[in-house]
Structure formats: structure tokens, C-alpha cells
Amino acid sequence: MDADRLSERMGSPHELARRAANELRLRTYAGRHPFVTFVAAPLPTAALILVGICLSMVLVLSVLPEGSSRDNYVPDWAAAVMQSIVWAMRYVPFMFGAVLFCHLAKRALHRPGWSFVACALIALSAGSFAVHLTLPTNGPGSGSLTMGFGFAAGASQLLQALAPLAVWAAYAGLGLRNRNPAAVA
């Protein structure tokens, strides 16, 4: 069979690639339901990841020694671990959520616009999330951990908001460099 007749029966190579990409997109949940995946799911996903990190903080606090051998109530190693967990609470859930949704969009062959919507929603929640730790100094009850949502003009919250967008920019940059001509929608 010559190439012209084959092209007539199957369609042009561009049309074949578009149809194949559409079939691949329909194989995944993210491909079939992009609105649910990239608009409704990002905020609950970031919240669940944040809860997991909070539980790790509770576990660290439960293994702290009760007494103190020095002037500080909390040993230096425990203070460093708690500060690291607070830092992780500010960035990890939101960056992990951005990576997750960028990967889902790439795997479902969606254009970067869907993952941008998800990352923008995650960035809004990251920018409004605030956490502050005061280490205990005089025994139980002298420290505090405050978490909440609210917009404040601070550099830390701006960096928190920019982190998921930086993840999206990295994924979009990689996607443009390795662009698949079949990814049309």
C-alpha cells in the first residue's frame, strides 16, 4: 500500500498524533476530569499534607525529655528539630502539592494552564498560611505553636506563595523544552 492511500485511510500524521494524545488523556482520571483534579482538589490535598506534617510535630514533641539539665528547657537538638519542622510546615505541603499537580497534568498530556491553575490555588493558600513557634524556656506550658490563615505583609509569606509557582515554572520550562507535538489540549 503506498503512502498516499495509507494517509487517506488513517489521516495525516498530525491528526494521528492528536487522536493518540486524546486517547492517552482519556486513560487517566486527571485527563477525563481536569476541573475536579486541578481546581477542586489542590486545596484539600495541601491541607492533608499539612496535617501529616503537624502530626510529625506532635510525635517530636512527645519524645522530648521532661526535665532540663541546663538553663534551656528544650535541648538544642530538639529545638533544631522543631524549627526544621516549622520550616517544613511552611514549604513542604505546598511545594509537594505543586509537584503532584504538575506531574498529573504532564502525565495526562494537558497544557500547562491546568497545572498553573492548581499551583496558583496552592500559592494562595501558601501565602496565607502562617506558623510561629516559641520554644519553651521555663518548663511545660511556656512555649507556643501558632498556626493559621491570614494575609500579612511579610517576606516569609511571600516566599511561601512563590514556592509553588516556582515549581510550576520549572515544570513548564521542562515541558516546553521537551514539548510533545501531540499535546494539544
Side-chain angles (χ1 to χ4, degrees):
M1 189 177 271
D2 65 11
D4 291 335
R5 287 184 54 203
L6 186 60
S7 182
E8 263 180 39
R9 288 184 70 183
M10 295 181 68
S12 69
H14 181 69
E15 178 65 24
L16 282 173
R18 190 186 62 73
R19 282 189 284 176
N22 194 37
E23 289 296 320
L24 180 62
R25 187 177 301 113
L26 294 177
R27 287 181 42 195
T28 64
Y29 184 83
R32 289 188 311 271
H33 307 286
F35 185 83
V36 173
T37 304
F38 300 108
V39 177
L43 297 180
T45 301
L48 286 174
I49 297 168
L50 186 61
V51 167
I53 289 178
C54 289
L55 290 176
S56 67
M57 178 72 130
V58 169
L59 290 174
V60 168
L61 291 175
S62 69
V63 298
L64 289 178
E66 287 296 322
S68 174
S69 59
R70 299 186 307 176
D71 293 338
N72 294 339
Y73 179 70
V74 177
D76 291 338
W77 67 267
V81 168
M82 288 191 300
Q83 291 291 356
S84 298
I85 291 174
V86 166
W87 181 88
M89 289 169 69
R90 289 182 177 154
Y91 293 97
V92 171
F94 307 109
M95 291 181 73
F96 181 76
V99 168
L100 174 70
F101 288 104
C102 286
H103 177 72
L104 286 173
K106 184 178 177 184
R107 189 164 177 243
L109 297 179
H110 284 300
R111 287 188 178 162
W114 282 111
S115 58
F116 178 77
V117 169
C119 289
L121 289 170
I122 291 171
L124 283 174
S125 64
S128 67
F129 180 71
V131 61
H132 180 72
L133 173 69
T134 304
L135 295 171
T137 55
N138 302 343
S142 62
S144 68
L145 175 66
T146 309
M147 292 185 300
F149 288 94
F151 289 102
S156 65
Q157 286 185 302
L158 178 62
L159 288 175
Q160 287 170 214
L162 291 177
L165 296 176
V167 169
W168 176 83
Y171 258 84
L174 287 173
L176 291 176
R177 189 173 42 173
N178 302 329
R179 182 121 196 206
N180 180 357
V184 291

